PDB file of all heavy atoms in Angstrom:
ATOM      1  N   SER A   1     -25.858 -26.410  46.392  1.00 98.00           N
ATOM      2  CA  SER A   1     -26.382 -26.304  45.030  1.00 98.00           C
ATOM      3  C   SER A   1     -27.750 -26.960  44.928  1.00 98.00           C
ATOM      4  O   SER A   1     -28.054 -27.916  45.666  1.00 98.00           O
ATOM      5  CB  SER A   1     -25.433 -26.981  44.034  1.00 98.00           C
ATOM      6  OG  SER A   1     -24.173 -26.354  44.015  1.00 98.00           O
ATOM      7  N   LEU A   2     -28.549 -26.434  44.039  1.00 98.00           N
ATOM      8  CA  LEU A   2     -29.829 -27.027  43.684  1.00 98.00           C
ATOM      9  C   LEU A   2     -30.061 -26.808  42.194  1.00 98.00           C
ATOM     10  O   LEU A   2     -29.526 -25.854  41.605  1.00 98.00           O
ATOM     11  CB  LEU A   2     -30.986 -26.374  44.454  1.00 98.00           C
ATOM     12  CG  LEU A   2     -31.316 -26.842  45.860  1.00 98.00           C
ATOM     13  CD1 LEU A   2     -32.446 -25.994  46.425  1.00 98.00           C
ATOM     14  CD2 LEU A   2     -31.698 -28.316  45.876  1.00 98.00           C
ATOM     15  N   ARG A   3     -30.866 -27.682  41.639  1.00 98.00           N
ATOM     16  CA  ARG A   3     -31.253 -27.530  40.230  1.00 98.00           C
ATOM     17  C   ARG A   3     -32.763 -27.597  40.157  1.00 98.00           C
ATOM     18  O   ARG A   3     -33.368 -28.547  40.669  1.00 98.00           O
ATOM     19  CB  ARG A   3     -30.639 -28.643  39.368  1.00 98.00           C
ATOM     20  CG  ARG A   3     -30.847 -28.460  37.880  1.00 98.00           C
ATOM     21  CD  ARG A   3     -30.174 -29.613  37.122  1.00 98.00           C
ATOM     22  NE  ARG A   3     -30.217 -29.454  35.675  1.00 98.00           N
ATOM     23  CZ  ARG A   3     -29.281 -28.832  34.962  1.00 98.00           C
ATOM     24  NH1 ARG A   3     -28.239 -28.313  35.571  1.00 98.00           N
ATOM     25  NH2 ARG A   3     -29.394 -28.734  33.655  1.00 98.00           N
ATOM     26  N   VAL A   4     -33.375 -26.581  39.563  1.00 98.00           N
ATOM     27  CA  VAL A   4     -34.813 -26.598  39.347  1.00 98.00           C
ATOM     28  C   VAL A   4     -35.073 -26.758  37.856  1.00 98.00           C
ATOM     29  O   VAL A   4     -34.314 -26.242  37.021  1.00 98.00           O
ATOM     30  CB  VAL A   4     -35.497 -25.328  39.907  1.00 98.00           C
ATOM     31  CG1 VAL A   4     -35.478 -25.344  41.424  1.00 98.00           C
ATOM     32  CG2 VAL A   4     -34.862 -24.066  39.368  1.00 98.00           C
ATOM     33  N   SER A   5     -36.121 -27.486  37.547  1.00 98.00           N
ATOM     34  CA  SER A   5     -36.455 -27.786  36.162  1.00 98.00           C
ATOM     35  C   SER A   5     -37.904 -27.416  35.873  1.00 98.00           C
ATOM     36  O   SER A   5     -38.748 -27.420  36.781  1.00 98.00           O
ATOM     37  CB  SER A   5     -36.243 -29.275  35.882  1.00 98.00           C
ATOM     38  OG  SER A   5     -34.896 -29.642  36.076  1.00 98.00           O
ATOM     39  N   CYS A   6     -38.165 -27.126  34.629  1.00 97.00           N
ATOM     40  CA  CYS A   6     -39.514 -26.762  34.199  1.00 97.00           C
ATOM     41  C   CYS A   6     -39.805 -27.458  32.881  1.00 97.00           C
ATOM     42  O   CYS A   6     -38.990 -27.401  31.951  1.00 97.00           O
ATOM     43  CB  CYS A   6     -39.618 -25.256  34.041  1.00 97.00           C
ATOM     44  SG  CYS A   6     -41.177 -24.670  33.336  1.00 97.00           S
ATOM     45  N   SER A   7     -40.975 -28.081  32.830  1.00 97.00           N
ATOM     46  CA  SER A   7     -41.383 -28.777  31.625  1.00 97.00           C
ATOM     47  C   SER A   7     -42.662 -28.156  31.086  1.00 97.00           C
ATOM     48  O   SER A   7     -43.623 -27.957  31.845  1.00 97.00           O
ATOM     49  CB  SER A   7     -41.606 -30.265  31.931  1.00 97.00           C
ATOM     50  OG  SER A   7     -42.013 -30.949  30.785  1.00 97.00           O
ATOM     51  N   ALA A   8     -42.682 -27.867  29.793  1.00 96.00           N
ATOM     52  CA  ALA A   8     -43.855 -27.282  29.153  1.00 96.00           C
ATOM     53  C   ALA A   8     -44.702 -28.373  28.513  1.00 96.00           C
ATOM     54  O   ALA A   8     -44.186 -29.397  28.057  1.00 96.00           O
ATOM     55  CB  ALA A   8     -43.431 -26.270  28.101  1.00 96.00           C
ATOM     56  N   SER A   9     -46.018 -28.113  28.457  1.00 96.00           N
ATOM     57  CA  SER A   9     -46.953 -29.134  27.978  1.00 96.00           C
ATOM     58  C   SER A   9     -47.087 -29.176  26.462  1.00 96.00           C
ATOM     59  O   SER A   9     -47.782 -30.043  25.924  1.00 96.00           O
ATOM     60  CB  SER A   9     -48.336 -28.898  28.596  1.00 96.00           C
ATOM     61  OG  SER A   9     -48.834 -27.628  28.229  1.00 96.00           O
ATOM     62  N   ARG A  10     -46.436 -28.246  25.766  1.00 91.00           N
ATOM     63  CA  ARG A  10     -46.451 -28.285  24.312  1.00 91.00           C
ATOM     64  C   ARG A  10     -45.086 -27.879  23.785  1.00 91.00           C
ATOM     65  O   ARG A  10     -44.215 -27.456  24.525  1.00 91.00           O
ATOM     66  CB  ARG A  10     -47.553 -27.358  23.769  1.00 91.00           C
ATOM     67  CG  ARG A  10     -47.386 -25.881  24.070  1.00 91.00           C
ATOM     68  CD  ARG A  10     -47.320 -25.088  22.773  1.00 91.00           C
ATOM     69  NE  ARG A  10     -47.497 -23.656  22.987  1.00 91.00           N
ATOM     70  CZ  ARG A  10     -46.489 -22.797  22.989  1.00 91.00           C
ATOM     71  NH1 ARG A  10     -45.252 -23.203  22.835  1.00 91.00           N
ATOM     72  NH2 ARG A  10     -46.721 -21.502  23.135  1.00 91.00           N
ATOM     73  N   ASP A  11     -44.896 -28.054  22.505  1.00 90.00           N
ATOM     74  CA  ASP A  11     -43.623 -27.713  21.886  1.00 90.00           C
ATOM     75  C   ASP A  11     -43.290 -26.236  22.090  1.00 90.00           C
ATOM     76  O   ASP A  11     -44.173 -25.376  21.993  1.00 90.00           O
ATOM     77  CB  ASP A  11     -43.648 -28.029  20.398  1.00 90.00           C
ATOM     78  CG  ASP A  11     -43.626 -29.515  20.120  1.00 90.00           C
ATOM     79  OD1 ASP A  11     -43.309 -30.279  21.050  1.00 90.00           O
ATOM     80  OD2 ASP A  11     -43.912 -29.901  18.976  1.00 90.00           O
ATOM     81  N   ILE A  12     -42.033 -25.990  22.360  1.00 88.00           N
ATOM     82  CA  ILE A  12     -41.534 -24.638  22.530  1.00 88.00           C
ATOM     83  C   ILE A  12     -41.041 -24.134  21.185  1.00 88.00           C
ATOM     84  O   ILE A  12     -40.256 -24.810  20.518  1.00 88.00           O
ATOM     85  CB  ILE A  12     -40.404 -24.599  23.566  1.00 88.00           C
ATOM     86  CG1 ILE A  12     -40.892 -25.136  24.907  1.00 88.00           C
ATOM     87  CG2 ILE A  12     -39.858 -23.186  23.715  1.00 88.00           C
ATOM     88  CD1 ILE A  12     -42.054 -24.384  25.485  1.00 88.00           C
ATOM     89  N   PHE A  13     -41.490 -22.939  20.797  1.00 88.00           N
ATOM     90  CA  PHE A  13     -41.065 -22.361  19.538  1.00 88.00           C
ATOM     91  C   PHE A  13     -39.698 -21.707  19.700  1.00 88.00           C
ATOM     92  O   PHE A  13     -39.323 -21.266  20.792  1.00 88.00           O
ATOM     93  CB  PHE A  13     -42.083 -21.330  19.057  1.00 88.00           C
ATOM     94  CG  PHE A  13     -43.465 -21.871  18.881  1.00 88.00           C
ATOM     95  CD1 PHE A  13     -44.515 -21.417  19.663  1.00 88.00           C
ATOM     96  CD2 PHE A  13     -43.731 -22.854  17.949  1.00 88.00           C
ATOM     97  CE1 PHE A  13     -45.794 -21.917  19.510  1.00 88.00           C
ATOM     98  CE2 PHE A  13     -45.007 -23.375  17.789  1.00 88.00           C
ATOM     99  CZ  PHE A  13     -46.048 -22.899  18.575  1.00 88.00           C
ATOM    100  N   SER A  14     -38.975 -21.636  18.603  1.00 86.00           N
ATOM    101  CA  SER A  14     -37.635 -21.059  18.666  1.00 86.00           C
ATOM    102  C   SER A  14     -37.669 -19.599  19.083  1.00 86.00           C
ATOM    103  O   SER A  14     -36.703 -19.076  19.636  1.00 86.00           O
ATOM    104  CB  SER A  14     -36.925 -21.211  17.328  1.00 86.00           C
ATOM    105  OG  SER A  14     -37.655 -20.571  16.307  1.00 86.00           O
ATOM    106  N   SER A  15     -38.787 -18.920  18.835  1.00 89.00           N
ATOM    107  CA  SER A  15     -38.898 -17.505  19.186  1.00 89.00           C
ATOM    108  C   SER A  15     -39.314 -17.289  20.640  1.00 89.00           C
ATOM    109  O   SER A  15     -39.326 -16.156  21.123  1.00 89.00           O
ATOM    110  CB  SER A  15     -39.914 -16.822  18.276  1.00 89.00           C
ATOM    111  OG  SER A  15     -41.180 -17.460  18.389  1.00 89.00           O
ATOM    112  N   ASP A  16     -39.655 -18.348  21.339  1.00 93.00           N
ATOM    113  CA  ASP A  16     -40.132 -18.221  22.721  1.00 93.00           C
ATOM    114  C   ASP A  16     -39.002 -17.832  23.665  1.00 93.00           C
ATOM    115  O   ASP A  16     -37.856 -18.255  23.496  1.00 93.00           O
ATOM    116  CB  ASP A  16     -40.742 -19.535  23.210  1.00 93.00           C
ATOM    117  CG  ASP A  16     -42.051 -19.871  22.516  1.00 93.00           C
ATOM    118  OD1 ASP A  16     -42.611 -18.979  21.841  1.00 93.00           O
ATOM    119  OD2 ASP A  16     -42.508 -21.023  22.659  1.00 93.00           O
ATOM    120  N   VAL A  17     -39.380 -17.049  24.657  1.00 96.00           N
ATOM    121  CA  VAL A  17     -38.457 -16.725  25.742  1.00 96.00           C
ATOM    122  C   VAL A  17     -38.835 -17.579  26.946  1.00 96.00           C
ATOM    123  O   VAL A  17     -39.995 -17.636  27.337  1.00 96.00           O
ATOM    124  CB  VAL A  17     -38.536 -15.237  26.127  1.00 96.00           C
ATOM    125  CG1 VAL A  17     -37.596 -14.937  27.304  1.00 96.00           C
ATOM    126  CG2 VAL A  17     -38.201 -14.359  24.935  1.00 96.00           C
ATOM    127  N   MET A  18     -37.868 -18.240  27.510  1.00 96.00           N
ATOM    128  CA  MET A  18     -38.112 -19.027  28.724  1.00 96.00           C
ATOM    129  C   MET A  18     -37.227 -18.487  29.840  1.00 96.00           C
ATOM    130  O   MET A  18     -36.159 -17.909  29.573  1.00 96.00           O
ATOM    131  CB  MET A  18     -37.832 -20.501  28.491  1.00 96.00           C
ATOM    132  CG  MET A  18     -38.688 -21.131  27.410  1.00 96.00           C
ATOM    133  SD  MET A  18     -38.626 -22.919  27.426  1.00 96.00           S
ATOM    134  CE  MET A  18     -39.704 -23.274  28.826  1.00 96.00           C
ATOM    135  N   GLY A  19     -37.678 -18.682  31.052  1.00 97.00           N
ATOM    136  CA  GLY A  19     -36.865 -18.157  32.129  1.00 97.00           C
ATOM    137  C   GLY A  19     -37.383 -18.509  33.498  1.00 97.00           C
ATOM    138  O   GLY A  19     -38.318 -19.320  33.652  1.00 97.00           O
ATOM    139  N   TRP A  20     -36.764 -17.894  34.475  1.00 98.00           N
ATOM    140  CA  TRP A  20     -37.098 -18.094  35.879  1.00 98.00           C
ATOM    141  C   TRP A  20     -37.206 -16.743  36.577  1.00 98.00           C
ATOM    142  O   TRP A  20     -36.363 -15.854  36.369  1.00 98.00           O
ATOM    143  CB  TRP A  20     -36.029 -18.947  36.571  1.00 98.00           C
ATOM    144  CG  TRP A  20     -36.018 -20.353  36.108  1.00 98.00           C
ATOM    145  CD1 TRP A  20     -35.290 -20.878  35.086  1.00 98.00           C
ATOM    146  CD2 TRP A  20     -36.793 -21.431  36.649  1.00 98.00           C
ATOM    147  NE1 TRP A  20     -35.546 -22.222  34.953  1.00 98.00           N
ATOM    148  CE2 TRP A  20     -36.470 -22.582  35.903  1.00 98.00           C
ATOM    149  CE3 TRP A  20     -37.717 -21.552  37.687  1.00 98.00           C
ATOM    150  CZ2 TRP A  20     -37.043 -23.830  36.161  1.00 98.00           C
ATOM    151  CZ3 TRP A  20     -38.277 -22.780  37.942  1.00 98.00           C
ATOM    152  CH2 TRP A  20     -37.945 -23.904  37.189  1.00 98.00           C
ATOM    153  N   TYR A  21     -38.227 -16.623  37.374  1.00 98.00           N
ATOM    154  CA  TYR A  21     -38.408 -15.498  38.274  1.00 98.00           C
ATOM    155  C   TYR A  21     -38.502 -16.064  39.688  1.00 98.00           C
ATOM    156  O   TYR A  21     -38.694 -17.271  39.874  1.00 98.00           O
ATOM    157  CB  TYR A  21     -39.687 -14.729  37.939  1.00 98.00           C
ATOM    158  CG  TYR A  21     -39.582 -13.844  36.730  1.00 98.00           C
ATOM    159  CD1 TYR A  21     -39.435 -14.389  35.454  1.00 98.00           C
ATOM    160  CD2 TYR A  21     -39.627 -12.458  36.850  1.00 98.00           C
ATOM    161  CE1 TYR A  21     -39.340 -13.564  34.340  1.00 98.00           C
ATOM    162  CE2 TYR A  21     -39.537 -11.630  35.742  1.00 98.00           C
ATOM    163  CZ  TYR A  21     -39.395 -12.194  34.495  1.00 98.00           C
ATOM    164  OH  TYR A  21     -39.302 -11.381  33.393  1.00 98.00           O
ATOM    165  N   ARG A  22     -38.375 -15.183  40.664  1.00 98.00           N
ATOM    166  CA  ARG A  22     -38.537 -15.626  42.045  1.00 98.00           C
ATOM    167  C   ARG A  22     -39.234 -14.557  42.871  1.00 98.00           C
ATOM    168  O   ARG A  22     -39.185 -13.370  42.542  1.00 98.00           O
ATOM    169  CB  ARG A  22     -37.191 -15.995  42.679  1.00 98.00           C
ATOM    170  CG  ARG A  22     -36.244 -14.813  42.880  1.00 98.00           C
ATOM    171  CD  ARG A  22     -34.882 -15.299  43.358  1.00 98.00           C
ATOM    172  NE  ARG A  22     -33.958 -14.195  43.584  1.00 98.00           N
ATOM    173  CZ  ARG A  22     -32.662 -14.358  43.880  1.00 98.00           C
ATOM    174  NH1 ARG A  22     -32.140 -15.576  43.966  1.00 98.00           N
ATOM    175  NH2 ARG A  22     -31.897 -13.294  44.074  1.00 98.00           N
ATOM    176  N   GLN A  23     -39.867 -15.030  43.932  1.00 98.00           N
ATOM    177  CA  GLN A  23     -40.555 -14.106  44.831  1.00 98.00           C
ATOM    178  C   GLN A  23     -40.308 -14.533  46.258  1.00 98.00           C
ATOM    179  O   GLN A  23     -40.689 -15.640  46.658  1.00 98.00           O
ATOM    180  CB  GLN A  23     -42.044 -14.072  44.539  1.00 98.00           C
ATOM    181  CG  GLN A  23     -42.786 -12.992  45.312  1.00 98.00           C
ATOM    182  CD  GLN A  23     -44.173 -12.748  44.769  1.00 98.00           C
ATOM    183  OE1 GLN A  23     -44.733 -13.564  44.037  1.00 98.00           O
ATOM    184  NE2 GLN A  23     -44.761 -11.610  45.117  1.00 98.00           N
ATOM    185  N   ALA A  24     -39.668 -13.652  47.006  1.00 97.00           N
ATOM    186  CA  ALA A  24     -39.413 -13.887  48.420  1.00 97.00           C
ATOM    187  C   ALA A  24     -40.569 -13.299  49.226  1.00 97.00           C
ATOM    188  O   ALA A  24     -41.271 -12.394  48.748  1.00 97.00           O
ATOM    189  CB  ALA A  24     -38.088 -13.258  48.831  1.00 97.00           C
ATOM    190  N   PRO A  25     -40.776 -13.772  50.439  1.00 92.00           N
ATOM    191  CA  PRO A  25     -41.866 -13.241  51.266  1.00 92.00           C
ATOM    192  C   PRO A  25     -41.775 -11.728  51.431  1.00 92.00           C
ATOM    193  O   PRO A  25     -40.705 -11.197  51.751  1.00 92.00           O
ATOM    194  CB  PRO A  25     -41.667 -13.959  52.600  1.00 92.00           C
ATOM    195  CG  PRO A  25     -40.964 -15.217  52.250  1.00 92.00           C
ATOM    196  CD  PRO A  25     -40.060 -14.874  51.103  1.00 92.00           C
ATOM    197  N   GLY A  26     -42.875 -11.055  51.167  1.00 95.00           N
ATOM    198  CA  GLY A  26     -42.925  -9.613  51.331  1.00 95.00           C
ATOM    199  C   GLY A  26     -42.264  -8.817  50.234  1.00 95.00           C
ATOM    200  O   GLY A  26     -42.172  -7.591  50.326  1.00 95.00           O
ATOM    201  N   LYS A  27     -41.809  -9.499  49.188  1.00 97.00           N
ATOM    202  CA  LYS A  27     -41.129  -8.805  48.095  1.00 97.00           C
ATOM    203  C   LYS A  27     -41.846  -9.056  46.778  1.00 97.00           C
ATOM    204  O   LYS A  27     -42.626  -9.993  46.645  1.00 97.00           O
ATOM    205  CB  LYS A  27     -39.673  -9.264  48.002  1.00 97.00           C
ATOM    206  CG  LYS A  27     -38.829  -8.876  49.207  1.00 97.00           C
ATOM    207  CD  LYS A  27     -37.365  -9.195  48.974  1.00 97.00           C
ATOM    208  CE  LYS A  27     -36.511  -8.755  50.138  1.00 97.00           C
ATOM    209  NZ  LYS A  27     -35.064  -9.043  49.898  1.00 97.00           N
ATOM    210  N   GLN A  28     -41.539  -8.214  45.804  1.00 97.00           N
ATOM    211  CA  GLN A  28     -42.113  -8.389  44.481  1.00 97.00           C
ATOM    212  C   GLN A  28     -41.394  -9.511  43.731  1.00 97.00           C
ATOM    213  O   GLN A  28     -40.231  -9.819  44.013  1.00 97.00           O
ATOM    214  CB  GLN A  28     -42.007  -7.084  43.686  1.00 97.00           C
ATOM    215  CG  GLN A  28     -42.904  -5.973  44.188  1.00 97.00           C
ATOM    216  CD  GLN A  28     -42.890  -4.764  43.266  1.00 97.00           C
ATOM    217  OE1 GLN A  28     -41.903  -4.503  42.588  1.00 97.00           O
ATOM    218  NE2 GLN A  28     -43.996  -4.033  43.228  1.00 97.00           N
ATOM    219  N   ARG A  29     -42.091 -10.074  42.779  1.00 97.00           N
ATOM    220  CA  ARG A  29     -41.479 -11.079  41.926  1.00 97.00           C
ATOM    221  C   ARG A  29     -40.392 -10.412  41.094  1.00 97.00           C
ATOM    222  O   ARG A  29     -40.585  -9.325  40.542  1.00 97.00           O
ATOM    223  CB  ARG A  29     -42.523 -11.719  41.019  1.00 97.00           C
ATOM    224  CG  ARG A  29     -42.036 -12.943  40.275  1.00 97.00           C
ATOM    225  CD  ARG A  29     -43.173 -13.633  39.542  1.00 97.00           C
ATOM    226  NE  ARG A  29     -44.207 -14.125  40.458  1.00 97.00           N
ATOM    227  CZ  ARG A  29     -45.201 -14.919  40.078  1.00 97.00           C
ATOM    228  NH1 ARG A  29     -45.296 -15.301  38.806  1.00 97.00           N
ATOM    229  NH2 ARG A  29     -46.101 -15.313  40.951  1.00 97.00           N
ATOM    230  N   GLU A  30     -39.243 -11.085  40.994  1.00 98.00           N
ATOM    231  CA  GLU A  30     -38.119 -10.505  40.269  1.00 98.00           C
ATOM    232  C   GLU A  30     -37.522 -11.492  39.286  1.00 98.00           C
ATOM    233  O   GLU A  30     -37.577 -12.707  39.483  1.00 98.00           O
ATOM    234  CB  GLU A  30     -37.027 -10.053  41.250  1.00 98.00           C
ATOM    235  CG  GLU A  30     -36.399 -11.162  42.061  1.00 98.00           C
ATOM    236  CD  GLU A  30     -35.272 -10.685  42.953  1.00 98.00           C
ATOM    237  OE1 GLU A  30     -35.025  -9.463  43.021  1.00 98.00           O
ATOM    238  OE2 GLU A  30     -34.618 -11.541  43.588  1.00 98.00           O
ATOM    239  N   LEU A  31     -36.924 -10.937  38.248  1.00 98.00           N
ATOM    240  CA  LEU A  31     -36.252 -11.752  37.244  1.00 98.00           C
ATOM    241  C   LEU A  31     -35.032 -12.425  37.844  1.00 98.00           C
ATOM    242  O   LEU A  31     -34.260 -11.794  38.568  1.00 98.00           O
ATOM    243  CB  LEU A  31     -35.821 -10.869  36.075  1.00 98.00           C
ATOM    244  CG  LEU A  31     -34.881 -11.499  35.061  1.00 98.00           C
ATOM    245  CD1 LEU A  31     -35.632 -12.489  34.193  1.00 98.00           C
ATOM    246  CD2 LEU A  31     -34.226 -10.431  34.203  1.00 98.00           C
ATOM    247  N   VAL A  32     -34.867 -13.690  37.517  1.00 98.00           N
ATOM    248  CA  VAL A  32     -33.631 -14.401  37.856  1.00 98.00           C
ATOM    249  C   VAL A  32     -32.785 -14.580  36.597  1.00 98.00           C
ATOM    250  O   VAL A  32     -31.626 -14.168  36.548  1.00 98.00           O
ATOM    251  CB  VAL A  32     -33.925 -15.768  38.488  1.00 98.00           C
ATOM    252  CG1 VAL A  32     -32.619 -16.519  38.766  1.00 98.00           C
ATOM    253  CG2 VAL A  32     -34.746 -15.613  39.762  1.00 98.00           C
ATOM    254  N   ALA A  33     -33.378 -15.199  35.581  1.00 98.00           N
ATOM    255  CA  ALA A  33     -32.647 -15.443  34.340  1.00 98.00           C
ATOM    256  C   ALA A  33     -33.626 -15.768  33.226  1.00 98.00           C
ATOM    257  O   ALA A  33     -34.685 -16.345  33.470  1.00 98.00           O
ATOM    258  CB  ALA A  33     -31.658 -16.594  34.505  1.00 98.00           C
ATOM    259  N   THR A  34     -33.252 -15.395  31.998  1.00 97.00           N
ATOM    260  CA  THR A  34     -34.018 -15.767  30.825  1.00 97.00           C
ATOM    261  C   THR A  34     -33.080 -16.288  29.752  1.00 97.00           C
ATOM    262  O   THR A  34     -31.877 -16.020  29.765  1.00 97.00           O
ATOM    263  CB  THR A  34     -34.821 -14.585  30.250  1.00 97.00           C
ATOM    264  OG1 THR A  34     -33.914 -13.525  29.938  1.00 97.00           O
ATOM    265  CG2 THR A  34     -35.880 -14.096  31.220  1.00 97.00           C
ATOM    266  N   ILE A  35     -33.664 -17.027  28.805  1.00 96.00           N
ATOM    267  CA  ILE A  35     -32.883 -17.596  27.715  1.00 96.00           C
ATOM    268  C   ILE A  35     -33.748 -17.685  26.476  1.00 96.00           C
ATOM    269  O   ILE A  35     -34.935 -18.013  26.547  1.00 96.00           O
ATOM    270  CB  ILE A  35     -32.325 -18.992  28.100  1.00 96.00           C
ATOM    271  CG1 ILE A  35     -31.406 -19.543  27.003  1.00 96.00           C
ATOM    272  CG2 ILE A  35     -33.446 -19.968  28.433  1.00 96.00           C
ATOM    273  CD1 ILE A  35     -30.632 -20.777  27.438  1.00 96.00           C
ATOM    274  N   ILE A  36     -33.154 -17.361  25.316  1.00 92.00           N
ATOM    275  CA  ILE A  36     -33.841 -17.538  24.055  1.00 92.00           C
ATOM    276  C   ILE A  36     -33.183 -18.674  23.288  1.00 92.00           C
ATOM    277  O   ILE A  36     -32.134 -19.181  23.691  1.00 92.00           O
ATOM    278  CB  ILE A  36     -33.851 -16.241  23.225  1.00 92.00           C
ATOM    279  CG1 ILE A  36     -32.433 -15.833  22.845  1.00 92.00           C
ATOM    280  CG2 ILE A  36     -34.588 -15.144  23.964  1.00 92.00           C
ATOM    281  CD1 ILE A  36     -32.386 -14.647  21.880  1.00 92.00           C
ATOM    282  N   SER A  37     -33.790 -19.048  22.182  1.00 79.00           N
ATOM    283  CA  SER A  37     -33.388 -20.254  21.471  1.00 79.00           C
ATOM    284  C   SER A  37     -31.943 -20.218  21.015  1.00 79.00           C
ATOM    285  O   SER A  37     -31.275 -21.231  21.011  1.00 79.00           O
ATOM    286  CB  SER A  37     -34.307 -20.478  20.276  1.00 79.00           C
ATOM    287  OG  SER A  37     -33.961 -21.661  19.603  1.00 79.00           O
ATOM    288  N   LEU A  38     -31.460 -19.044  20.643  1.00 79.00           N
ATOM    289  CA  LEU A  38     -30.087 -18.940  20.155  1.00 79.00           C
ATOM    290  C   LEU A  38     -29.071 -19.068  21.279  1.00 79.00           C
ATOM    291  O   LEU A  38     -27.867 -19.025  21.017  1.00 79.00           O
ATOM    292  CB  LEU A  38     -29.898 -17.619  19.412  1.00 79.00           C
ATOM    293  CG  LEU A  38     -30.682 -17.488  18.102  1.00 79.00           C
ATOM    294  CD1 LEU A  38     -30.486 -16.113  17.486  1.00 79.00           C
ATOM    295  CD2 LEU A  38     -30.282 -18.578  17.116  1.00 79.00           C
ATOM    296  N   GLY A  39     -29.553 -19.194  22.494  1.00 81.00           N
ATOM    297  CA  GLY A  39     -28.661 -19.371  23.634  1.00 81.00           C
ATOM    298  C   GLY A  39     -28.291 -18.092  24.333  1.00 81.00           C
ATOM    299  O   GLY A  39     -27.520 -18.107  25.296  1.00 81.00           O
ATOM    300  N   TYR A  40     -28.840 -16.979  23.881  1.00 93.00           N
ATOM    301  CA  TYR A  40     -28.579 -15.711  24.563  1.00 93.00           C
ATOM    302  C   TYR A  40     -29.252 -15.740  25.917  1.00 93.00           C
ATOM    303  O   TYR A  40     -30.437 -16.043  26.031  1.00 93.00           O
ATOM    304  CB  TYR A  40     -29.107 -14.555  23.740  1.00 93.00           C
ATOM    305  CG  TYR A  40     -28.889 -13.216  24.400  1.00 93.00           C
ATOM    306  CD1 TYR A  40     -27.657 -12.586  24.344  1.00 93.00           C
ATOM    307  CD2 TYR A  40     -29.918 -12.601  25.098  1.00 93.00           C
ATOM    308  CE1 TYR A  40     -27.456 -11.369  24.966  1.00 93.00           C
ATOM    309  CE2 TYR A  40     -29.729 -11.384  25.718  1.00 93.00           C
ATOM    310  CZ  TYR A  40     -28.488 -10.773  25.650  1.00 93.00           C
ATOM    311  OH  TYR A  40     -28.290  -9.578  26.269  1.00 93.00           O
ATOM    312  N   THR A  41     -28.494 -15.404  26.957  1.00 96.00           N
ATOM    313  CA  THR A  41     -29.003 -15.447  28.321  1.00 96.00           C
ATOM    314  C   THR A  41     -28.923 -14.080  28.982  1.00 96.00           C
ATOM    315  O   THR A  41     -28.105 -13.236  28.607  1.00 96.00           O
ATOM    316  CB  THR A  41     -28.217 -16.451  29.167  1.00 96.00           C
ATOM    317  OG1 THR A  41     -26.822 -16.105  29.137  1.00 96.00           O
ATOM    318  CG2 THR A  41     -28.382 -17.874  28.644  1.00 96.00           C
TER     319      THR A  41
END
């Protein structure tokens, strides 16, 4: 297991979408997961 964290330099608005993408060597960047303020993932 691993846990990665991300910190933003300003306040996050409730309407903002936050998430994680990843890119493996030789591949395109792909969606991993997203989350909105209401907790929808």
Side-chain angles (χ1 to χ4, degrees):
S1 298
L2 277 177
R3 187 179 185 90
V4 290
S5 299
C6 173
S7 179
S9 60
R10 64 121 166 102
D11 289 345
I12 302 301
F13 302 116
S14 59
S15 58
D16 291 347
V17 178
M18 300 194 77
W20 291 91
Y21 284 68
R22 67 187 181 187
Q23 188 166 18
K27 294 187 177 181
Q28 290 187 331
R29 190 172 298 190
E30 63 177 5
L31 169 74
V32 177
T34 57
I35 185 169
I36 63 173
S37 182
L38 293 177
Y40 179 80
T41 57

